[in-house]
Amino acid sequence: MAEQPLHPTPGKKVNLSKFDPDYKGDYDKGMAREEERELEDKLADLQERLYAEGKQSLLIVLQAMDAGGKDSTIKHVFDQVNPQGVRVTSFKVPTAEELAHDFLWRVHQKAPAKGYIGIFNRSHYEDVLVVRVNEYVPRPVWEKRYDQINAFERLLAESGTRILKFFLHISREEQKERFLERLNKPDKHWKFSRGDLPVREKWDDYMSAYEDALTRCNTDYAPWHIVPANRKWYRNLVITRTIVRTLEAMNPQFPPAEPDLDQIVIPD
Ligand code: AMP
Ligand code: MG
């Protein structure tokens, strides 16, 4: 297969069946791991600069089907980064209080402050995915949300937040393998939920909902990336590389030192 684009062209309809979840370019596991380790060192350095500079922030959105690798991505991609500068938010079924507000209310509160990297494990996109597939709100309500999401993300972008959105693309077969692994390994039992099975049954509805989100909310200021995610090592490489390139482009700088530091004598 030819080189697979990671970032679909804005304005063009996304057809997920054209994106191979097994894609791995010319990489094997060893090469990918080695390159990822080098990138992780860069990521740690760039994160420190972002924090020290305190002027810009980075928001990383992770979306996937169950067992798609969101938790594992967070664990592996950020394991060299200073936890003090990173805030992870996992969005669950909304509480009564959250449901009593507009759908972005709980999300906006968790947007990263200047100097921070914010990671969303699920996000406001659930409100056009699970909510749409299960008709938790009527169509005219979720239909408006694509524009509302774009407006919200534009506000964040214009306020100094770079946004990167990753869809971890696994195949239906791969999900089955991962569910079976959860069932077969006692230390993974806690990750298995019977509730994930009815979601799996609606796989095609979810893919359609994802295609719409990936098409309608794929903007210059908040681009989507479709990550081939059947191979965890390729997934980690692609995500780490994309984050590093983005931070390099943001080019955070250490603030200037106080003057005359070389004159300072530390008293005994
Ligand atoms: P997990 O990520 O496995 O801990 O599961 C979180 C659950 O919360 C998933 O089943 C999501 O679909 C669900 N969830 C997250 N956000 C929403 C939302 N806005 N509306 C309904 N369900 C949601
Ligand atoms: Mg889950």
Side-chain angles (χ1 to χ4, degrees), residues 26-108:
D26 295 326
Y27 283 92
D28 64 28
K29 191 174 184 171
M31 284 161 65
R33 286 247 167 103
E34 192 175 322
E35 190 173 327
E36 201 221 329
R37 259 195 297 274
E38 286 164 18
L39 286 163
E40 279 187 15
D41 291 341
K42 287 191 183 168
L43 177 57
D45 175 58
L46 286 158
Q47 183 273 329
E48 189 177 357
R49 287 167 182 271
L50 187 81
Y51 189 80
E53 182 194 63
K55 289 184 178 164
Q56 320 173 65
S57 50
L58 176 64
L59 172 61
I60 295 165
V61 171
L62 298 174
Q63 283 289 159
M65 295 297 281
D66 294 307
K70 300 183 298 299
D71 297 323
S72 150
T73 297
I74 295 167
K75 181 173 159 184
H76 288 101
V77 172
F78 294 93
D79 62 354
Q80 300 303 314
V81 168
N82 184 349
Q84 191 157 226
V86 180
R87 298 273 187 275
V88 182
T89 307
S90 299
F91 289 96
K92 307 288 183 186
V93 176
T95 63
E97 188 188 21
E98 288 166 349
L99 281 174
H101 293 81
D102 71 85
F103 77 106
L104 292 170
W105 179 77
R106 68 173 182 164
V107 181
H108 202 164

Coordinates of all heavy atoms in Angstrom, one line a residue, residues 26-108:
D26 N 7.6 1.6 6.5 CA 8.8 0.7 6.4 C 9.3 0.2 7.7 O 10.5 -0.3 7.8 CB 9.9 1.4 5.6 CG 9.5 1.7 4.2 OD1 8.7 0.9 3.6 OD2 9.9 2.7 3.7
Y27 N 8.6 0.4 8.8 CA 9.1 0.1 10.1 C 8.9 -1.3 10.5 O 8.0 -2.0 10.1 CB 8.4 1.0 11.1 CG 8.9 2.4 11.1 CD1 8.3 3.3 10.3 CD2 10.0 2.8 11.9 CE1 8.8 4.6 10.3 CE2 10.5 4.1 11.8 CZ 9.9 5.0 11.0 OH 10.3 6.3 11.0
D28 N 9.9 -1.8 11.4 CA 9.6 -3.0 12.2 C 9.7 -2.5 13.6 O 10.0 -1.4 13.9 CB 10.6 -4.1 11.9 CG 12.1 -3.7 12.2 OD1 12.3 -2.9 13.1 OD2 13.0 -4.3 11.6
K29 N 9.4 -3.5 14.5 CA 9.2 -3.1 15.9 C 10.5 -2.5 16.5 O 10.4 -1.5 17.2 CB 8.8 -4.3 16.7 CG 8.3 -4.1 18.1 CD 7.9 -5.4 18.7 CE 7.3 -5.3 20.0 NZ 6.6 -6.6 20.5
G30 N 11.6 -3.1 16.2 CA 12.9 -2.6 16.8 C 13.2 -1.2 16.3 O 13.5 -0.3 17.2
M31 N 13.0 -0.9 15.0 CA 13.3 0.5 14.5 C 12.4 1.5 15.2 O 12.8 2.6 15.5 CB 13.1 0.5 13.0 CG 14.1 -0.1 12.1 SD 13.4 -0.5 10.5 CE 13.0 1.2 9.9
A32 N 11.1 1.1 15.2 CA 10.1 2.0 15.8 C 10.4 2.3 17.2 O 10.3 3.5 17.6 CB 8.7 1.4 15.6
R33 N 10.7 1.3 18.0 CA 11.0 1.5 19.4 C 12.2 2.5 19.6 O 12.2 3.3 20.5 CB 11.3 0.2 20.1 CG 10.0 -0.6 20.3 CD 9.7 -0.8 21.8 NE 8.4 -1.3 22.0 CZ 8.1 -2.5 22.4 NH1 9.1 -3.4 22.5 NH2 6.9 -2.9 22.6
E34 N 13.2 2.2 18.8 CA 14.4 3.0 18.9 C 14.2 4.5 18.6 O 14.5 5.4 19.4 CB 15.5 2.5 18.0 CG 16.9 3.0 18.2 CD 17.9 2.3 17.3 OE1 17.8 1.1 17.1 OE2 18.8 3.0 16.8
E35 N 13.5 4.7 17.5 CA 13.2 6.1 17.1 C 12.2 6.7 18.1 O 12.4 7.9 18.5 CB 12.5 6.1 15.7 CG 12.4 7.5 15.2 CD 11.9 7.5 13.7 OE1 12.2 6.6 12.9 OE2 11.2 8.4 13.4
E36 N 11.3 6.0 18.7 CA 10.4 6.5 19.7 C 11.1 7.0 20.9 O 10.8 8.0 21.5 CB 9.3 5.5 20.0 CG 8.1 6.2 20.6 CD 7.4 5.5 21.8 OE1 7.5 4.3 21.8 OE2 6.9 6.2 22.6
R37 N 12.1 6.2 21.3 CA 12.9 6.5 22.5 C 13.6 7.9 22.3 O 13.6 8.7 23.2 CB 13.9 5.4 22.9 CG 13.4 4.6 24.0 CD 14.5 3.7 24.6 NE 15.0 2.8 23.6 CZ 14.5 1.6 23.4 NH1 13.5 1.1 24.1 NH2 15.1 0.8 22.5
E38 N 14.2 8.0 21.2 CA 14.9 9.3 20.9 C 13.9 10.5 20.9 O 14.1 11.5 21.4 CB 15.5 9.3 19.5 CG 16.8 8.4 19.5 CD 17.2 8.0 18.1 OE1 16.8 8.7 17.1 OE2 18.0 7.0 18.0
L39 N 12.7 10.2 20.3 CA 11.7 11.3 20.3 C 11.2 11.6 21.7 O 10.9 12.8 22.0 CB 10.5 10.8 19.4 CG 10.8 10.9 17.9 CD1 9.7 10.1 17.1 CD2 10.8 12.3 17.4
E40 N 11.1 10.6 22.6 CA 10.6 10.8 23.9 C 11.6 11.7 24.7 O 11.1 12.5 25.5 CB 10.5 9.5 24.7 CG 9.1 8.8 24.3 CD 8.9 7.6 25.2 OE1 9.6 7.4 26.2 OE2 8.0 6.8 24.8
D41 N 12.9 11.6 24.4 CA 13.8 12.6 25.0 C 13.6 14.0 24.6 O 13.6 14.9 25.4 CB 15.3 12.2 24.7 CG 15.7 10.9 25.4 OD1 15.0 10.5 26.4 OD2 16.7 10.3 24.9
K42 N 13.3 14.1 23.3 CA 13.0 15.5 22.8 C 11.7 16.0 23.4 O 11.6 17.2 23.7 CB 12.8 15.4 21.2 CG 14.1 15.3 20.5 CD 13.9 15.5 19.0 CE 15.2 15.2 18.3 NZ 15.0 15.2 16.8
L43 N 10.7 15.1 23.5 CA 9.4 15.5 24.1 C 9.6 16.0 25.5 O 9.1 17.1 25.9 CB 8.5 14.3 24.1 CG 7.1 14.5 24.7 CD1 6.3 15.6 24.0 CD2 6.3 13.2 24.6
A44 N 10.4 15.3 26.3 CA 10.7 15.8 27.7 C 11.3 17.1 27.7 O 10.9 18.0 28.5 CB 11.6 14.7 28.4
D45 N 12.3 17.4 26.8 CA 12.9 18.7 26.7 C 12.0 19.8 26.3 O 11.9 20.8 26.9 CB 14.1 18.6 25.8 CG 14.8 19.9 25.5 OD1 15.3 20.5 26.5 OD2 14.8 20.3 24.4
L46 N 11.2 19.5 25.3 CA 10.2 20.5 24.8 C 9.1 20.8 25.8 O 8.7 22.0 26.0 CB 9.6 20.0 23.5 CG 10.5 20.0 22.3 CD1 10.0 19.1 21.2 CD2 10.5 21.5 21.7
Q47 N 8.7 19.8 26.6 CA 7.7 20.0 27.6 C 8.2 20.9 28.7 O 7.5 21.8 29.2 CB 7.2 18.6 28.2 CG 6.1 18.7 29.2 CD 6.7 18.9 30.6 OE1 7.8 18.5 30.9 NE2 5.9 19.6 31.4
E48 N 9.5 20.7 29.1 CA 10.1 21.6 30.1 C 10.1 23.0 29.6 O 9.8 23.9 30.4 CB 11.5 21.1 30.4 CG 12.1 21.8 31.6 CD 13.5 21.3 32.0 OE1 13.9 20.3 31.4 OE2 14.0 21.8 33.0
R49 N 10.5 23.2 28.4 CA 10.5 24.6 27.8 C 9.1 25.2 27.8 O 8.9 26.4 28.1 CB 11.0 24.6 26.4 CG 12.5 24.3 26.3 CD 12.9 24.0 24.9 NE 14.3 23.7 24.8 CZ 15.3 24.7 24.7 NH1 14.9 25.9 24.5 NH2 16.5 24.4 24.7
L50 N 8.1 24.4 27.4 CA 6.7 24.9 27.4 C 6.3 25.4 28.8 O 5.7 26.4 28.9 CB 5.8 23.7 26.9 CG 4.4 24.1 26.6 CD1 4.2 24.8 25.2 CD2 3.4 22.9 26.7
Y51 N 6.6 24.6 29.8 CA 6.3 24.9 31.1 C 7.0 26.1 31.6 O 6.4 27.0 32.2 CB 6.7 23.7 32.0 CG 6.2 23.7 33.4 CD1 4.8 23.4 33.7 CD2 7.0 24.1 34.5 CE1 4.4 23.5 35.0 CE2 6.5 24.2 35.8 CZ 5.2 23.9 36.1 OH 4.8 23.9 37.3
A52 N 8.3 26.2 31.3 CA 9.1 27.3 31.8 C 8.6 28.6 31.1 O 8.6 29.7 31.7 CB 10.6 27.1 31.5
E53 N 8.3 28.5 29.8 CA 7.9 29.7 29.1 C 6.5 30.2 29.6 O 6.3 31.4 29.8 CB 7.8 29.4 27.6 CG 7.4 30.5 26.7 CD 6.9 30.1 25.3 OE1 5.9 29.3 25.2 OE2 7.6 30.4 24.4
G54 N 5.6 29.3 29.8 CA 4.3 29.6 30.4 C 3.4 30.5 29.6 O 2.6 31.3 30.1
K55 N 3.5 30.4 28.3 CA 2.7 31.3 27.4 C 1.8 30.5 26.5 O 0.8 31.1 26.0 CB 3.7 32.1 26.5 CG 4.4 33.2 27.4 CD 5.2 34.1 26.4 CE 5.9 35.2 27.3 NZ 7.0 35.8 26.5
Q56 N 2.1 29.3 26.2 CA 1.3 28.5 25.2 C 0.9 27.2 25.9 O 1.5 26.8 26.9 CB 2.1 28.2 24.0 CG 3.0 29.2 23.4 CD 3.8 28.7 22.3 OE1 3.3 28.4 21.2 NE2 5.1 28.6 22.5
S57 N -0.1 26.5 25.4 CA -0.5 25.2 25.9 C -0.8 24.3 24.7 O -1.0 24.7 23.6 CB -1.7 25.3 26.8 OG -2.7 26.0 26.2
L58 N -0.7 23.0 25.0 CA -1.0 22.0 24.0 C -2.1 21.1 24.5 O -2.1 20.6 25.6 CB 0.3 21.2 23.7 CG 0.1 20.0 22.8 CD1 -0.2 20.5 21.4 CD2 1.5 19.2 22.7
L59 N -3.1 20.9 23.7 CA -4.2 20.0 24.0 C -4.2 18.8 23.1 O -4.2 18.9 21.8 CB -5.6 20.7 23.9 CG -6.8 19.7 24.0 CD1 -6.8 19.1 25.4 CD2 -8.1 20.5 23.8
I60 N -4.1 17.6 23.7 CA -4.1 16.3 22.9 C -5.4 15.6 23.2 O -5.7 15.3 24.3 CB -2.9 15.5 23.3 CG1 -1.6 16.3 22.9 CG2 -2.9 14.1 22.6 CD1 -0.3 15.7 23.6
V61 N -6.1 15.3 22.1 CA -7.4 14.6 22.2 C -7.2 13.2 21.7 O -6.7 13.0 20.6 CB -8.5 15.3 21.4 CG1 -9.8 14.5 21.3 CG2 -8.8 16.7 22.0
L62 N -7.6 12.2 22.5 CA -7.5 10.8 22.1 C -8.9 10.2 22.0 O -9.6 10.2 23.0 CB -6.6 10.0 23.1 CG -5.2 10.4 23.3 CD1 -4.5 9.6 24.4 CD2 -4.4 10.2 22.0
Q63 N -9.2 9.7 20.9 CA -10.5 9.0 20.7 C -10.2 7.6 20.0 O -9.3 7.5 19.2 CB -11.4 9.8 19.8 CG -12.1 11.0 20.5 CD -13.1 10.7 21.5 OE1 -13.4 11.5 22.4 NE2 -13.7 9.5 21.5
A64 N -11.0 6.7 20.4 CA -10.9 5.3 19.8 C -12.1 4.5 20.3 O -12.7 4.8 21.2 CB -9.6 4.6 20.3
M65 N -12.3 3.4 19.6 CA -13.2 2.4 20.1 C -12.6 1.7 21.3 O -11.4 1.9 21.6 CB -13.4 1.3 19.0 CG -14.1 1.9 17.7 SD -15.8 2.5 18.0 CE -16.7 0.9 18.1
D66 N -13.4 1.0 22.1 CA -12.9 0.3 23.3 C -11.7 -0.6 22.9 O -11.7 -1.2 21.8 CB -14.0 -0.5 23.9 CG -15.2 0.3 24.4 OD1 -14.9 1.2 25.2 OD2 -16.3 0.1 24.1
A67 N -10.7 -0.6 23.8 CA -9.5 -1.4 23.5 C -8.7 -0.8 22.4 O -7.8 -1.5 21.9 CB -9.8 -2.9 23.3
G68 N -9.0 0.4 22.0 CA -8.2 1.0 20.9 C -6.8 1.5 21.3 O -6.0 1.8 20.4
G69 N -6.6 1.6 22.6 CA -5.2 1.9 23.1 C -5.0 3.3 23.6 O -3.9 3.8 23.7
K70 N -6.1 3.9 24.1 CA -6.0 5.3 24.6 C -5.2 5.3 25.9 O -4.2 6.1 26.1 CB -7.4 5.9 24.9 CG -8.3 6.0 23.6 CD -9.6 6.7 23.9 CE -10.5 5.9 24.9 NZ -10.9 4.5 24.5
D71 N -5.5 4.4 26.8 CA -4.8 4.4 28.1 C -3.3 4.0 27.9 O -2.4 4.6 28.5 CB -5.4 3.3 29.0 CG -6.8 3.6 29.4 OD1 -7.2 4.8 29.6 OD2 -7.7 2.7 29.5
S72 N -3.1 3.0 27.0 CA -1.7 2.6 26.8 C -0.9 3.7 26.1 O 0.3 3.8 26.4 CB -1.8 1.3 26.0 OG -0.8 1.1 25.2
T73 N -1.5 4.4 25.2 CA -0.8 5.6 24.6 C -0.3 6.6 25.7 O 0.8 7.0 25.6 CB -1.7 6.3 23.6 OG1 -2.1 5.3 22.6 CG2 -1.1 7.5 23.0
I74 N -1.2 6.9 26.6 CA -0.9 7.9 27.6 C 0.3 7.3 28.4 O 1.3 8.0 28.7 CB -2.1 8.2 28.5 CG1 -3.2 8.9 27.6 CG2 -1.7 9.1 29.7 CD1 -4.5 9.0 28.3
K75 N 0.2 6.1 28.8 CA 1.2 5.5 29.6 C 2.6 5.4 28.9 O 3.6 5.8 29.5 CB 0.8 4.0 30.0 CG 1.8 3.3 30.8 CD 1.1 1.9 31.2 CE 2.2 0.9 31.6 NZ 1.6 -0.4 31.9
H76 N 2.6 5.1 27.6 CA 3.9 4.9 26.9 C 4.5 6.2 26.4 O 5.7 6.4 26.4 CB 3.8 3.9 25.8 CG 3.6 2.5 26.4 ND1 2.4 1.8 26.5 CD2 4.6 1.7 26.9 CE1 2.6 0.6 27.0 NE2 3.9 0.5 27.3
V77 N 3.6 7.0 25.8 CA 4.1 8.2 25.1 C 4.7 9.3 26.1 O 5.6 10.0 25.8 CB 3.1 8.8 24.2 CG1 3.5 10.2 23.6 CG2 2.7 7.8 23.0
F78 N 4.1 9.3 27.3 CA 4.4 10.4 28.2 C 5.2 9.9 29.4 O 5.4 10.6 30.4 CB 3.1 11.1 28.7 CG 2.4 11.8 27.6 CD1 1.4 11.2 26.8 CD2 2.8 13.1 27.2 CE1 0.8 11.8 25.8 CE2 2.2 13.7 26.2 CZ 1.2 13.1 25.4
D79 N 5.8 8.7 29.3 CA 6.5 8.2 30.5 C 7.8 8.9 30.8 O 8.3 8.7 31.9 CB 6.6 6.7 30.5 CG 7.4 6.1 29.3 OD1 7.8 6.9 28.5 OD2 7.7 4.9 29.3
Q80 N 8.3 9.7 29.9 CA 9.6 10.4 30.2 C 9.3 11.9 30.6 O 10.2 12.6 30.9 CB 10.5 10.4 29.0 CG 10.9 9.0 28.5 CD 11.6 8.3 29.6 OE1 12.5 8.8 30.3 NE2 11.2 7.1 29.9
V81 N 8.0 12.3 30.5 CA 7.7 13.7 30.7 C 7.4 14.0 32.2 O 6.9 13.1 32.9 CB 6.4 14.0 29.8 CG1 5.8 15.3 30.2 CG2 6.8 14.0 28.4
N82 N 7.8 15.2 32.6 CA 7.6 15.6 34.0 C 6.1 15.6 34.3 O 5.4 16.5 33.7 CB 8.2 16.9 34.2 CG 8.1 17.4 35.6 OD1 7.4 16.8 36.4 ND2 8.9 18.5 36.0
P83 N 5.5 14.8 35.2 CA 4.1 14.8 35.4 C 3.5 16.1 35.9 O 2.3 16.4 35.7 CB 3.9 13.7 36.5 CG 5.2 13.0 36.6 CD 6.3 13.8 36.0
Q84 N 4.4 17.0 36.4 CA 3.9 18.2 36.9 C 3.3 19.1 35.8 O 2.5 20.0 36.1 CB 5.1 19.0 37.6 CG 4.7 20.2 38.4 CD 5.7 20.5 39.5 OE1 5.3 20.8 40.6 NE2 6.9 20.6 39.1
G85 N 3.8 19.0 34.6 CA 3.3 19.8 33.5 C 2.3 19.2 32.7 O 1.9 19.8 31.6
V86 N 1.8 18.1 33.1 CA 0.8 17.4 32.2 C -0.5 17.1 33.1 O -0.4 16.7 34.2 CB 1.3 16.0 31.7 CG1 0.3 15.3 30.9 CG2 2.6 16.2 31.0
R87 N -1.6 17.3 32.4 CA -2.9 17.1 33.1 C -3.7 16.1 32.2 O -4.1 16.5 31.1 CB -3.7 18.3 33.3 CG -3.1 19.4 34.1 CD -3.4 19.2 35.6 NE -3.0 20.3 36.4 CZ -1.7 20.4 36.9 NH1 -0.8 19.5 36.7 NH2 -1.4 21.4 37.7
V88 N -4.0 14.9 32.8 CA -4.8 14.0 32.0 C -6.3 14.1 32.5 O -6.5 14.0 33.7 CB -4.3 12.5 32.2 CG1 -5.2 11.6 31.4 CG2 -2.8 12.4 31.8
T89 N -7.2 14.1 31.6 CA -8.6 14.1 32.0 C -9.3 12.9 31.2 O -9.2 12.9 30.0 CB -9.4 15.4 31.6 OG1 -8.7 16.5 32.2 CG2 -10.8 15.4 32.2
S90 N -9.9 12.0 32.0 CA -10.7 10.9 31.3 C -12.2 11.2 31.4 O -12.7 11.4 32.6 CB -10.4 9.6 32.1 OG -9.0 9.3 32.0
F91 N -12.8 11.4 30.3 CA -14.2 11.8 30.3 C -15.1 10.5 30.4 O -15.0 9.6 29.5 CB -14.6 12.6 29.1 CG -14.0 14.0 29.2 CD1 -12.8 14.3 28.6 CD2 -14.6 15.0 29.9 CE1 -12.2 15.6 28.7 CE2 -14.1 16.3 30.0 CZ -12.9 16.6 29.4
K92 N -15.9 10.5 31.4 CA -16.8 9.3 31.6 C -18.2 9.7 31.3 O -18.5 10.8 30.8 CB -16.7 8.9 33.1 CG -15.3 8.7 33.6 CD -14.7 7.4 33.0 CE -13.4 7.1 33.5 NZ -12.7 5.9 32.9
V93 N -19.2 8.8 31.6 CA -20.6 9.1 31.4 C -20.9 10.4 32.2 O -20.5 10.5 33.4 CB -21.5 8.0 31.9 CG1 -23.0 8.4 31.8 CG2 -21.2 6.7 31.1
P94 N -21.5 11.4 31.6 CA -21.7 12.7 32.4 C -22.5 12.5 33.6 O -23.4 11.7 33.7 CB -22.4 13.6 31.3 CG -22.2 12.9 30.0 CD -22.0 11.5 30.3
T95 N -22.1 13.3 34.6 CA -22.9 13.3 35.9 C -24.2 14.1 35.7 O -24.3 14.8 34.7 CB -22.1 14.0 37.0 OG1 -21.9 15.3 36.6 CG2 -20.8 13.3 37.2
A96 N -25.1 14.1 36.7 CA -26.3 14.8 36.6 C -26.0 16.3 36.5 O -26.6 17.1 35.7 CB -27.2 14.6 37.8
E97 N -25.0 16.8 37.2 CA -24.6 18.2 37.2 C -24.1 18.6 35.8 O -24.4 19.6 35.3 CB -23.6 18.5 38.3 CG -23.3 20.0 38.4 CD -22.2 20.4 39.3 OE1 -21.3 19.6 39.5 OE2 -22.1 21.6 39.7
E98 N -23.3 17.7 35.3 CA -22.7 18.0 33.9 C -23.8 18.0 32.9 O -23.9 18.8 32.0 CB -21.7 16.9 33.5 CG -20.4 17.1 34.3 CD -19.4 15.9 34.3 OE1 -19.8 14.8 33.8 OE2 -18.3 16.1 34.7
L99 N -24.8 17.1 33.0 CA -25.9 17.0 32.0 C -26.8 18.2 32.1 O -27.5 18.5 31.2 CB -26.7 15.7 32.2 CG -26.1 14.5 31.6 CD1 -26.9 13.3 32.0 CD2 -25.9 14.6 30.1
A100 N -26.8 18.9 33.3 CA -27.6 20.1 33.5 C -27.0 21.3 32.8 O -27.6 22.4 32.8 CB -27.8 20.3 35.0
H101 N -25.8 21.1 32.2 CA -25.2 22.3 31.5 C -25.0 21.9 30.0 O -25.3 20.8 29.6 CB -23.8 22.5 32.1 CG -23.8 23.0 33.5 ND1 -23.9 22.2 34.6 CD2 -23.6 24.3 33.9 CE1 -23.9 23.0 35.7 NE2 -23.7 24.2 35.3
D102 N -24.6 22.8 29.2 CA -24.3 22.5 27.8 C -23.1 21.5 27.8 O -22.3 21.4 28.7 CB -23.9 23.8 27.1 CG -22.6 24.4 27.5 OD1 -21.5 23.9 26.9 OD2 -22.5 25.2 28.4
F103 N -23.0 20.8 26.7 CA -22.1 19.6 26.6 C -20.6 20.0 26.7 O -19.7 19.2 27.0 CB -22.3 18.8 25.4 CG -21.8 19.3 24.1 CD1 -20.7 18.8 23.5 CD2 -22.4 20.4 23.4 CE1 -20.2 19.3 22.3 CE2 -21.9 20.9 22.2 CZ -20.8 20.3 21.6
L104 N -20.3 21.3 26.4 CA -18.9 21.7 26.5 C -18.5 22.3 27.9 O -17.3 22.5 28.1 CB -18.6 22.8 25.4 CG -18.7 22.2 24.0 CD1 -18.7 23.4 22.9 CD2 -17.6 21.2 23.7
W105 N -19.4 22.4 28.7 CA -19.2 23.0 30.1 C -18.1 22.2 30.8 O -17.1 22.8 31.3 CB -20.5 23.0 30.9 CG -20.4 23.6 32.3 CD1 -20.3 24.9 32.6 CD2 -20.4 22.8 33.5 NE1 -20.2 25.0 34.0 CE2 -20.3 23.8 34.5 CE3 -20.4 21.5 33.8 CZ2 -20.3 23.4 35.9 CZ3 -20.4 21.1 35.1 CH2 -20.3 22.0 36.2
R106 N -18.2 20.9 30.9 CA -17.2 20.1 31.6 C -15.9 20.1 30.9 O -14.9 19.8 31.5 CB -17.8 18.7 31.9 CG -17.9 17.8 30.7 CD -18.3 16.4 31.1 NE -18.4 15.5 30.0 CZ -18.4 14.2 30.1 NH1 -18.3 13.6 31.3 NH2 -18.5 13.4 29.0
V107 N -15.9 20.2 29.6 CA -14.7 20.1 28.8 C -13.9 21.3 28.9 O -12.6 21.3 29.1 CB -15.1 19.8 27.3 CG1 -13.9 19.7 26.5 CG2 -16.0 18.6 27.2
H108 N -14.5 22.5 28.8 CA -13.8 23.8 28.8 C -13.0 23.9 30.1 O -11.8 24.4 30.1 CB -14.8 24.9 28.6 CG -14.1 26.2 28.1 ND1 -14.8 27.2 27.6 CD2 -12.8 26.5 28.1 CE1 -13.9 28.2 27.2 NE2 -12.7 27.8 27.5

